[in-house]
Amino acid sequence: MADLNVYFYVQPQEKGGYQHNSISLAQGLRELGIPYAASADYWQEADGALLFRQDPAVDPADFSVVVVSEQYLTYGNGNFPAGYFDLPGKKVFLTTGDGMELHKQMRQRRYQRFDLIPTFLYGGLNHPDNFQPWAFGLSQHMIDFSRLDGKKSPRICVNYRNSHSVRQQAQERIFDQLPPEILDTRRDPFNWRELADAEAYEDFLVFQSGGRHQKDYLERIARSSATATFGGHFYIKPWIWGWYPFKFINYFVESAASIGRMNHLMKSIGLHTNHTYRIYQWDSWRFWETLAAKSVAINVDFEKYRCILPVMPENGKHYVGVDLKNPQPAMKRLRDATALREIGEAGYAWALEHYSPVAQARRLLAYLGK
């Protein structure tokens, strides 16, 4: 790998965007001893140094792999870097963006120009050959601040910032059926922007990640035997794939506010269509934070709901996967304290083996044939 080096297009620190995918990948490359450079100064680490540093003397044309993430577009002007597609190196679009926009547009010419697009994949969709499965995974700061010394209580942590249709169904079908005293549902409000000048890195980390990895929440996960990590929305795949068929057919599905309106109307009169066996936007930092803390991650059964990870976890061994139409087997498992301890340990080991920064870096290089 002597000729291998990687160039990252990132938005600068002052943009305030959390470019998680690029962070964990750069941390893994560093551990492997593979040189990398970046277009801007970004991401302060625990030792005070920046993970990405801009060097005006460095030319991206001299790199064998050139990475741009969807956060570069989100926190920029929405455009790929000028001259990007003229560079000689292999081009990677690292994207775990919300929603289905990429998948409705995945046959567009601009996406065909990438050598590799690591992204969320969904069972039943015919993805282009340059699409490969990806997941949030673990960054080094998530591992370092996972609080493994937390003594577990029998409680289940259920805490979300946003309401998703999958979370609503999980609440109704699982947590509303459990004794309230075993649930930790507290939501401690805080203003993460006030941490911009924090001296303690664990506080500044919350600021530069846009309010994520908050230490009180991480401590609650560490003390919980299990943690709810559901996310995303239900959908139906139309036979003719595209925006308008997707919008029309999913008008009738339990889903986000922009679709599923017919189902919301039916529920208002005591009827509803329930959910389907497809979910998008299923991944979340909660899932990986929970695994890193040896708490048991509770989520949908990934295989049943056709969520594709690069390395699939085993339901009942690495996490508790739920069939929301038949949640009783999962609920029985959640009442077994011995099983939860074993799953928490196994899930932690599985996550470190397959989704640590170095594991993610090796995966990307394998996709590229490097």
Side-chain angles (χ1 to χ4, degrees):
M1 293 192 291
D3 61 341
L4 177 63
N5 54 9
V6 181
Y7 190 87
F8 288 89
Y9 280 97
V10 295
Q11 293 295 341
Q13 190 87 345
E14 57 266 24
K15 289 285 187 177
Y18 188 29
Q19 300 163 72
H20 170 83
N21 292 326
S22 296
I23 292 167
S24 58
L25 185 56
Q27 290 170 338
L29 292 172
R30 180 177 60 190
E31 189 172 344
L32 292 173
I34 296 172
Y36 69 90
S39 63
D41 292 345
Y42 174 63
W43 193 257
Q44 181 179 319
E45 295 195 287
D47 61 0
L50 291 175
L51 178 65
F52 298 100
R53 277 210 171 271
Q54 180 189 28
D55 183 349
V58 170
D59 187 348
D62 295 332
F63 288 76
S64 56
V65 179
V66 188
V67 177
V68 61
S69 73
E70 96 273 358
Q71 291 105 347
Y72 178 90
L73 278 65
T74 302
Y75 299 111
N77 60 8
N79 296 321
F80 291 108
Y84 177 83
F85 291 105
D86 296 324
L87 296 172
K90 289 194 173 182
K91 297 161 191 66
V92 176
F93 183 35
L94 188 58
T95 171
T96 52
D98 293 344
M100 296 292 292
E101 290 303 311
L102 173 66
H103 295 79
K104 295 194 289 287
Q105 303 170 6
M106 60 188 176
R107 301 294 174 182
Q108 290 184 1
R109 167 63 182 158
R110 61 175 174 168
Y111 297 122
Q112 297 173 12
R113 301 177 72 183
F114 287 96
D115 296 280
L116 174 66
I117 299 181
T119 186
F120 296 150
L121 298 189
Y122 305 102
L125 298 188
N126 184 21
H127 298 97
D129 292 340
N130 61 342
F131 278 49
Q132 292 292 339
W134 203 253
F136 282 175
L138 296 167
S139 56
Q140 192 58 50
H141 48 272
M142 292 170 69
I143 296 171
D144 292 343
F145 289 98
S146 58
R147 291 162 169 74
L148 290 175
D149 56 349
K151 183 179 179 180
K152 298 290 187 291
S153 73
R155 293 190 127 191
I156 299 173
C157 184
V158 185
N159 178 295
Y160 298 116
R161 294 195 304 174
N162 302 308
S163 178
H164 293 176
S165 58
V166 174
R167 292 172 178 172
Q168 293 169 4
Q169 289 283 343
Q171 183 65 42
E172 294 174 12
R173 296 165 184 263
I174 302 171
F175 304 116
D176 286 350
Q177 312 305 318
L178 294 172
E181 59 269 19
I182 72 168
L183 302 178
D184 180 355
T185 59
R186 289 174 296 150
R187 294 190 63 179
D188 301 322
F190 71 102
N191 185 352
W192 57 269
R193 291 177 176 84
E194 295 177 349
L195 301 175
D197 299 318
E199 294 184 3
Y201 182 74
E202 63 178 350
D203 292 325
F204 182 72
L205 169 65
V206 179
F207 167 75
Q208 67 174 349
S209 65
R212 299 172 180 88
H213 314 308
Q214 202 263 344
K215 61 181 181 182
D216 290 342
Y217 177 66
L218 295 180
E219 289 172 0
R220 287 166 59 191
I221 291 177
R223 294 194 298 267
S224 301
S225 294
T227 302
T229 66
F230 295 93
H233 299 285
F234 303 106
Y235 78 98
I236 294 175
K237 174 186 175 293
W239 286 107
I240 302 174
W241 186 248
W243 173 244
Y244 291 108
F246 179 87
K247 188 81 171 179
F248 173 74
I249 292 177
N250 287 279
Y251 195 74
F252 301 93
V253 177
E254 170 77 32
S255 188
S258 61
I259 54 180
R261 290 191 179 94
M262 183 58 71
N263 189 52
H264 297 324
L265 174 62
M266 293 175 69
K267 290 182 77 170
S268 69
I269 60 174
L271 302 172
H272 57 84
T273 58
N274 284 332
H275 66 275
T276 68
Y277 279 108
R278 292 174 189 266
I279 292 174
Y280 67 87
Q281 201 178 329
W282 55 266
D283 204 357
S284 72
W285 282 281
R286 280 175 174 77
F287 181 68
W288 303 101
E289 288 169 329
T290 298
L291 292 168
K294 296 186 180 180
S295 182
V296 174
I298 314 169
N299 210 313
V300 295
D301 183 328
F302 291 138
E303 291 189 1
K304 181 174 289 291
Y305 287 88
R306 310 187 77 175
C307 306
I308 301 174
L309 288 78
V311 179
M312 296 292 289
E314 184 178 334
N315 188 3
K317 180 177 180 180
H318 304 122
Y319 78 115
V320 171
V322 183
D323 176 355
L324 291 171
K325 287 188 174 179
N326 180 29
Q328 291 305 320
M331 292 175 68
K332 180 179 179 181
R333 199 169 266 144
L334 291 175
R335 295 185 178 98
D336 187 334
T338 301
L340 290 181
R341 282 194 297 272
E342 293 173 353
I343 295 170
E345 292 283 346
Y348 169 77
W350 172 85
L352 283 186
E353 178 180 1
H354 299 293
Y355 292 95
S356 65
V358 70
Q360 291 278 67
R362 286 188 174 123
R363 178 170 298 116
L364 183 116
L365 299 179
Y367 285 157
L368 290 169
K370 297 287 188 181

